[in-house]
Amino acid sequence: MFENGIVNLTSWLGNVILPTLSGLFFAIALIRFVGGGQHQSWLYGGFLCLMASGILRALEGFAPQQAWMIRISTGRL
Amino acid sequence: MPTPQILEDILRLLLQLLPAMALICLLLAGLALRLEGGSTFSIGGGFTKWMLWSVIMLTLPQLLLWSSFFGLPVPSSAGAIGTNWLAGIHNDVSVFVSSFIVARLTIVLAAYFVIRAVLDGAHGGHPLGSIVTAMFLLAIPGTANLISSMQTSSRFAAVDVLDGLWNYLGDQIMPAAAGLAVVAAIINFVTHRPAMRLIAAALGFLTVSALWRLVST
């Protein structure tokens, strides 16, 4: 199913790639901090990578689940 | 005057080949999807055209009920094909489409699109379009089964399927797309590219049904 592919891609990015990138961003932030360069955005990026799931849950909080039950043919819940 | 056997068999042949033709339409829809961007599609473009044709192919027997509704009886197409050589054509075309085109050719095309995704990334482009197209091609049998499961036995089957596909898109695909948008927004933030539009897109993906309700009421 197409749905399985998209969901697996999203899970892989969120659960595997983003935590790895988080470590990379923290390392870059540390190196730039020691070197006196701009490091804040890398630090924030590292935290955001770990917070991706939470950000999505927060966005879902603005979208009530009952809205998904609408049928477009009837427009009713 | 009774309808000649050969004409009835030709009608049965054409109607019984419709599911195989729907699979070919889905394959062409996948190719058109990549031509139109991969992660989006053009209104009135090739993707929408071939998806509509695949739905029509799978629901044509129900669409023919409109003829009966209008008072024009349609000859019965149920049953086996009586003419041997026409039955042979049906068998050969069905086997060719399922075992050659769907089981092998679409897999190879999907693999080529994975290579294209890597090349897109190497050229500074976005690999998501080719990845989504590869997933669409690999899911062609599942998509055909999904469309078949959505159809009803009434003469409104075609619009019922389109209705079901919209709900499937809103229920299943859009939440996953919202997750992808959040991941892309984080990467854009780190690389100092515009990120807020992707957060807004994620919110839009999650609220597409609510947006529909807002528009329709």
Side-chain angles (χ1 to χ4, degrees):
Chain A
M1 294 286 288
F2 180 64
E3 169 202 351
N4 294 338
I6 290 286
V7 171
N8 287 338
L9 175 67
T10 309
S11 297
W12 178 71
L13 282 172
N15 295 323
V16 179
I17 298 302
L18 283 188
T20 308
L21 283 179
S22 168
L24 181 69
F25 292 161
F26 282 136
I28 292 174
L30 194 61
I31 292 169
R32 291 182 70 89
F33 175 74
V34 171
Q38 187 271 340
H39 62 279
Q40 284 91 346
S41 66
W42 295 102
L43 192 64
Y44 297 151
F47 281 119
L48 284 172
C49 285
L50 295 176
M51 291 163 59
S53 178
I55 293 170
L56 189 58
R57 295 289 94 77
L59 291 177
E60 283 177 352
F62 293 105
Q65 293 303 307
Q66 61 187 10
W68 297 120
M69 296 167 63
I70 297 172
R71 301 287 300 179
I72 61 168
S73 57
T74 61
R76 292 195 300 265
L77 288 174
Chain B
M1 178 180 143
T3 309
Q5 176 71 28
I6 184 76
L7 290 181
E8 285 190 353
D9 284 342
I10 288 174
L11 179 63
R12 288 193 184 105
L13 171 70
L14 293 176
L15 288 176
Q16 290 178 16
L17 282 179
L18 287 175
M21 296 302 110
L23 291 174
I24 293 178
C25 288
L26 286 174
L27 171 62
L28 294 172
L31 297 177
L33 176 65
R34 183 62 191 93
L35 287 175
E36 293 169 12
S39 55
T40 184
F41 57 87
S42 304
I43 298 298
F47 178 73
T48 51
K49 179 182 73 176
W50 288 115
M51 284 302 292
L52 179 64
W53 273 116
S54 68
V55 171
I56 289 175
M57 294 284 179
L58 288 171
T59 58
L60 192 60
Q62 288 88 340
L63 278 174
L64 290 176
L65 294 175
W66 279 103
S67 297
S68 304
F69 179 73
F70 293 141
L72 299 170
V74 177
S76 172
S77 59
I81 300 171
T83 311
N84 286 337
W85 62 275
L86 284 176
I89 289 176
H90 170 252
N91 188 46
D92 293 344
V93 172
S94 299
V95 168
F96 177 77
V97 170
S98 62
S99 64
F100 180 79
I101 292 182
V102 174
R104 300 296 298 274
L105 183 62
T106 55
I107 309 293
V108 174
L109 285 174
Y112 270 102
F113 278 118
V114 171
I115 292 178
R116 176 58 199 254
V118 176
L119 294 177
D120 283 342
H123 281 260
H126 214 294
L128 186 63
S130 296
I131 292 291
V132 169
T133 304
M135 287 178 182
F136 184 89
L137 291 176
L138 289 173
I140 280 177
T143 306
N145 289 336
L146 178 74
I147 293 174
S148 298
S149 68
M150 287 173 179
Q151 62 178 306
T152 55
S153 56
S154 72
R155 58 184 181 276
F156 294 97
V159 284
D160 286 340
V161 168
L162 293 174
D163 179 353
L165 283 177
W166 192 93
N167 284 293
Y168 173 75
L169 199 64
D171 290 353
Q172 311 291 333
I173 305 297
M174 286 293 125
L180 287 176
V182 169
V183 172
I186 291 171
I187 293 175
N188 273 13
F189 172 79
V190 175
T191 54
H192 302 289
R193 284 183 288 183
M196 281 312 293
R197 63 184 177 87
L198 285 168
I199 293 293
L203 202 54
F205 291 155
L206 287 171
T207 56
V208 64
S209 289
L211 291 174
W212 160 248
R213 193 178 186 191
L214 185 68
V215 169
S216 63
T217 56

